[in-house]
Amino acid sequence: MVAGGIAIRQGRLAEISQKILDIKASGNIGSEFKWSGYRGGYRRQAYEDLIDLCFSLAEQKQAALHWIIADFGSFAHKTNDDGSPESSVNRMYFQLCLHRLCKFYGKACGVYVYPDNGNDSAELIGFRDVLCARAYKTYKTKPNCVRDIKALTSHTEPLIQMADVVTGAIAALRNQRQLKAPKANLAQYVLDRSGHPDWSTDTLHTARFMTVWNFQHQERNPHRPRP
């Protein structure tokens, strides 16, 4: 399972969103950018332009890209009575928010988290207080550094669409899926454009503008607070 997203300053949201919309318009694409819906053809250039934009933003230090990758086969989803694979994804997002967003930005900035709407992000909203407390204790962030967590729909959020395409490509290669040529080519394009050697390899601990974290699962102590 791969979860991830794009971190930007709030003041750059409109500008970057418009660039994504311009790429969509130039490719005559009326629907949203989405990894699951990609079939190549006339859309290929627009999708590659989207990927170029994503990584160029990181290269220019205008955005940061963060992913967490976990072996779901090692997860005990039912450790809690209400546990499920969706709950485990929510906890992956929690770890990513704590050890990337809060660690990197929580000392200087208020952090706003906008995951794609769905069951795999529904619990994250309720984790805000715990997330703030853990961030303050672990990384000495501002108190209540996570100002808001709100799920948005990808249909209206270009940045979520960008994250979906790149994250889907990473997951496809990391799971060694047998893909048809258009998706196989796009997944390889993402890897090549990232400059990263392989998605099974973590980035250096000094990395800030693109991080890849292959999470090592440990059995949860039932006496520790959730998540």
Side-chain angles (χ1 to χ4, degrees):
M1 176 61 67
V2 181
I6 302 167
I8 62 169
R9 289 189 177 275
Q10 189 174 20
R12 312 241 19 206
L13 175 61
E15 173 195 349
I16 296 172
S17 295
Q18 188 58 55
K19 288 182 178 180
I20 297 171
L21 293 175
D22 290 345
I23 292 171
K24 185 183 293 186
S26 68
N28 197 29
I29 297 175
S31 58
E32 63 183 284
F33 283 115
K34 203 168 186 65
W35 168 257
S36 63
Y38 180 69
R39 300 292 182 270
Y42 77 92
R43 296 179 174 225
R44 175 182 173 181
Q45 187 60 58
Y47 271 74
E48 290 184 356
D49 288 347
L50 179 75
I51 292 162
D52 287 342
L53 174 62
C54 182
F55 289 105
S56 68
L57 288 170
E59 290 162 0
Q60 296 165 18
K61 299 183 179 181
Q62 297 178 6
L65 317 174
H66 302 298
W67 292 284
I68 181 172
I69 303 170
D71 176 10
F72 249 30
S74 66
F75 274 58
H77 302 297
K78 295 293 186 180
T79 298
N80 302 300
D81 291 340
D82 58 348
S84 68
E86 290 81 8
S87 294
S88 295
V89 178
N90 278 268
R91 285 164 174 73
M92 286 175 62
Y93 277 122
F94 179 94
Q95 296 296 327
L96 190 66
C97 288
L98 175 62
H99 298 296
R100 292 297 182 266
L101 303 185
C102 295
K103 177 182 179 180
F104 292 168
Y105 317 121
K107 292 180 181 179
C109 305
V111 177
Y112 296 80
V113 182
Y114 299 118
D116 193 7
N117 188 35
N119 290 336
D120 54 5
S121 66
E123 296 176 26
L124 183 63
I125 297 169
F127 293 161
R128 191 191 78 85
D129 290 346
V130 175
L131 181 58
C132 290
R134 294 274 185 90
Y136 183 75
K137 180 178 181 180
T138 306
Y139 295 117
K140 307 303 180 188
T141 63
K142 290 176 175 288
N144 297 311
C145 68
V146 179
R147 304 296 171 78
D148 190 25
I149 303 176
K150 181 168 64 176
L152 302 176
T153 175
S154 62
H155 182 69
T156 60
E157 298 300 325
L159 275 160
I160 293 179
Q161 296 176 36
M162 177 188 279
D164 177 90
V165 171
V166 177
T167 302
I170 294 171
L173 287 185
R174 191 67 179 85
N175 285 290
Q176 299 182 328
R177 293 179 190 150
Q178 297 300 311
L179 302 171
K180 292 184 178 180
K183 278 192 171 179
N185 293 338
L186 193 68
Q188 188 61 45
Y189 190 84
V190 168
L191 179 60
D192 293 344
R193 188 62 184 80
S194 74
H196 197 58
D198 185 271
W199 298 122
S200 63
T201 302
D202 291 348
T203 46
L204 297 175
H205 74 279
T206 53
R208 289 296 178 271
F209 290 93
M210 190 186 84
T211 68
V212 178
W213 174 19
N214 284 272
F215 180 79
Q216 299 300 311
H217 177 67
Q218 297 178 349
E219 289 294 329
R220 190 181 69 82
N221 182 339
H223 300 293
R224 290 181 62 189
R226 295 172 64 191

